[in-house]
Amino acid sequence: MLKDFKPVLGILLRFIIIYLVLLFAYQFYLNSFKESGLDPYSRFIAENVAFIQNKMGYATLLYNDVPKEQVWFYVNKVYVTRMVEGCNAISVIILFVAFIFAFYKGTKTFVFIAASLFILYIMNVLRIVGLNIISRDYHEYSKMGHDYVFPAVIYGSVVVLWLVWIKFFALKNENS
């Protein structure tokens, strides 16, 4: 009976191990920047968001709040939102990568992850830009956007990429 479940158990074990290793590595990364405010990757995303917003005509400055480990977006002379570590989507990316590696298929796994990480990065930056614009121009919708609409963008992107991976790569030879 256990023989029937061996492939599923292997996938589940691989997922759990990779997820925990990536999670602990990320926590170690965050702890190493505790004293300097927001971690460099989150700050990089904030800078990219500010760049895009400036190009779109939303004059954006960043205010670094080191003690609270956050960066404020100052858009068109108003503080609209703040970027904290959770906004960088790394937690979602860790879950995504662990899932893809659970269904490991050789070199194409690494290529798919690299392409997907680029897509998720773009989606996350655009998500934050959208949230900032809504918070600035349509403040009455900012809570709904932050709590429901924009999380759906990043989680929806992850689910679509998972489905692409499973349908076109992980199970391709098994369905033939």
Side-chain angles (χ1 to χ4, degrees):
M1 183 168 139
L2 187 59
K3 188 191 267 187
D4 295 336
F5 293 111
K6 190 174 181 180
V8 173
L9 292 174
I11 290 169
L12 186 59
L13 185 61
R14 218 175 8 245
F15 171 80
I16 290 170
I17 290 170
I18 292 168
Y19 179 76
L20 289 174
V21 166
L22 291 174
L23 192 65
F24 287 125
Y26 181 55
Q27 191 58 52
F28 178 77
Y29 164 80
L30 288 177
N31 290 342
S32 65
F33 294 103
K34 205 87 163 141
E35 301 301 319
S36 60
L38 197 59
D39 66 281
Y41 181 71
S42 297
R43 186 180 323 279
F44 176 71
I45 288 184
E47 290 167 357
N48 282 268
V49 168
F51 176 79
I52 290 172
Q53 289 175 187
N54 283 319
K55 291 293 183 189
M56 293 175 62
Y58 287 89
T60 303
L61 298 172
L62 300 176
Y63 170 71
N64 191 19
D65 187 355
V66 174
K68 294 183 180 172
E69 298 179 33
Q70 61 189 2
V71 169
W72 284 90
F73 290 100
Y74 186 69
V75 182
N76 291 343
K77 302 180 182 176
V78 176
Y79 286 106
V80 291
T81 61
R82 64 191 175 97
M83 171 106 180
V84 296
E85 172 271 324
C87 300
N88 66 16
I90 291 293
S91 299
V92 175
I93 289 170
I94 288 171
L95 187 66
F96 172 80
V97 169
F99 179 84
I100 298 300
F101 271 121
F103 293 90
Y104 182 77
K105 295 294 179 184
T107 306
K108 65 183 168 182
T109 307
F110 294 99
V111 172
F112 186 81
I113 286 175
S116 297
L117 291 180
F118 180 72
I119 291 168
L120 291 174
Y121 168 77
I122 297 297
M123 293 303 293
N124 192 46
V125 168
L126 294 177
R127 174 183 77 94
I128 297 169
V129 167
L131 181 59
N132 284 341
I133 291 170
I134 285 177
S135 295
R136 172 65 180 104
D137 294 345
Y138 308 98
H139 187 71
E140 65 273 15
Y141 299 110
S142 63
K143 179 154 177 50
M144 182 179 66
H146 180 271
D147 294 349
Y148 304 108
V149 175
F150 290 107
V153 169
I154 199 70
Y155 291 123
S157 300
V158 165
V159 169
V160 167
L161 288 168
W162 277 343
L163 292 173
V164 167
W165 174 251
I166 292 299
K167 174 93 173 134
F168 297 106
F169 298 98
L171 300 180
K172 187 170 179 145
N173 294 337
E174 295 171 18
N175 293 335
S176 310

